[in-house]
Amino acid sequence: MAKAPAPAPAEPPKSNRERPAEPQPFAADKAQLLEFYRQMLLIRRFEEKAGQLYGLGFIGGFCHLYIGQEAVAVGLQSALNGDTDSVITGYRDHGHMLAYGIDPKVIMAELTGRAAGISKGKGGSMHMFSTEHKFYGGHGIVGAQVSLGTGLAFGHKYKGDGGVCLAYFGDGAANQGQVYESFNMAELWKLPIIFVIENNQYAMGTSVNRASAEDQLYRRGESFRIPGIQVDGMDVLACRGAAETALAWVRAGKGPVILEMKTYRYRGHSMSDPAKYRSRDEVQAVRDKSDPIEHVKKLLEEQGVSPEEFKAAEQAIRKQVNEAADFAEQTPEPEAGELYTDVLVERY
């Protein structure tokens, strides 16, 4: 007797949950493209100079550079309202501060431990902070900023100030328990927060494929009913477009969104990391194919920007970075008495 044919596999059930619209690349005009180019170039040259100063001994402790990931911070933060929206991130934080318009001089002074630094020289590379600019760190504990960012979002909702929190964390932090506690609370209370996973492919020295059972990190919020979107984090226009989609969703009171930004860091995890876990050919291939600054440069060339204009922009940014480095080297260190300030809350 012939066996009955096996039944066709059933299609997976379609979700009936509302989701954000599919993001579209931001339609930037020439002036906006130039501004994106300048901001990303400023971050690149600033970080290169920081690496030099670290090698010369002017910067101590840990120092994590943002080279290669510039499109993420510039694209996302260009869509924020600087008067109401807050930003919080981990220890790879210099680029996020620059993208939020904070003076390179006070950032570089903080890196070199000077009194004029944005945290009075007591935070260093990993612990930048500015309540004035609504930038809340700079956190050295992996994943700690996610629960703090959820608290910032709760504050926005409680005060009714219309603000949204942009909380960055990396692919390594995506496996932390506190991240999932934060997801649960944020969705329960429909908090105005965008969880941004900067997936630069390596958690310190371990590739995301070896460390994460589910390496499509934008799906990590599904069990909490948080929609996720995967974004080309090497394309500033894709980043800006995703930011606008996510902000529209969150500002409409629909709760949090996860953005997984597929990006790549060119340097090691920190300045002390020789990055032997990947080949030079791998890094060079990404540089050749996907560099975020070169991508925008090509778009500007198509719009008629001349080599002279690019050269002028490069010179202006190098001058700005060199002035920041000179300021950081020459401004005084904190007084000894600063050891005893900012330890306890003096006034409630």
Side-chain angles (χ1 to χ4, degrees), residues 44 68 234 266 286-296:
R44 178 76 55 93
M234 303 300 275
Y266 296 165
V286 177
R287 278 185 178 271
D288 293 343
K289 182 181 177 183
S290 305
D291 186 79
I293 298 175
E294 289 301 314
H295 172 62
V296 172

Side-chain angles (χ1 to χ4, degrees), residues 7-12:
E11 289 187 15

Side-chain angles (χ1 to χ4, degrees), residues 68-91:
Q69 299 181 214
E70 297 90 351
V72 176
V74 171
L76 296 184
Q77 289 171 223
S78 66
L80 296 183
N81 182 335
D83 294 327
T84 58
D85 298 333
S86 57
V87 174
I88 191 167
T89 187
Y91 41 74

Side-chain angles (χ1 to χ4, degrees), residues 296-305 310:
V296 172
K297 187 176 182 180
K298 288 174 184 173
L299 295 176
L300 286 167
E301 286 171 343
E302 291 170 5
Q303 295 203 21
V305 176
F310 286 121

Side-chain angles (χ1 to χ4, degrees), residues 189-240:
W189 298 335
K190 298 296 183 186
L191 298 183
I193 184 167
I194 301 172
F195 295 108
V196 181
I197 305 174
E198 291 193 271
N199 182 0
N200 63 21
Q201 315 302 316
Y202 292 94
M204 296 186 71
T206 306
S207 73
V208 65
N209 314 93
R210 292 177 58 214
S212 298
E214 172 56 273
D215 60 6
Q216 301 301 300
L217 303 181
Y218 72 98
R219 296 174 177 166
R220 290 297 184 92
E222 286 182 358
S223 61
F224 302 96
R225 299 178 180 264
I226 300 175
I229 302 170
Q230 194 173 68
V231 186
D232 181 357
M234 303 300 275
D235 181 345
V236 71
L237 301 181
C239 295
R240 173 61 184 266

Side-chain angles (χ1 to χ4, degrees), residues 166-178:
L166 202 63
Y168 292 93
F169 57 106
D171 46 290
N175 295 318
Q176 290 281 327
Q178 59 199 321

Side-chain angles (χ1 to χ4, degrees), residues 37-39 60 134 187 216 225 234 239 247 302 335:
Y37 177 77
R38 291 191 187 101
Q39 287 187 26
K134 293 185 169 49
E187 177 57 27
Q216 301 301 300
R225 299 178 180 264
M234 303 300 275
C239 295
L247 284 166
E302 291 170 5
E335 297 289 338

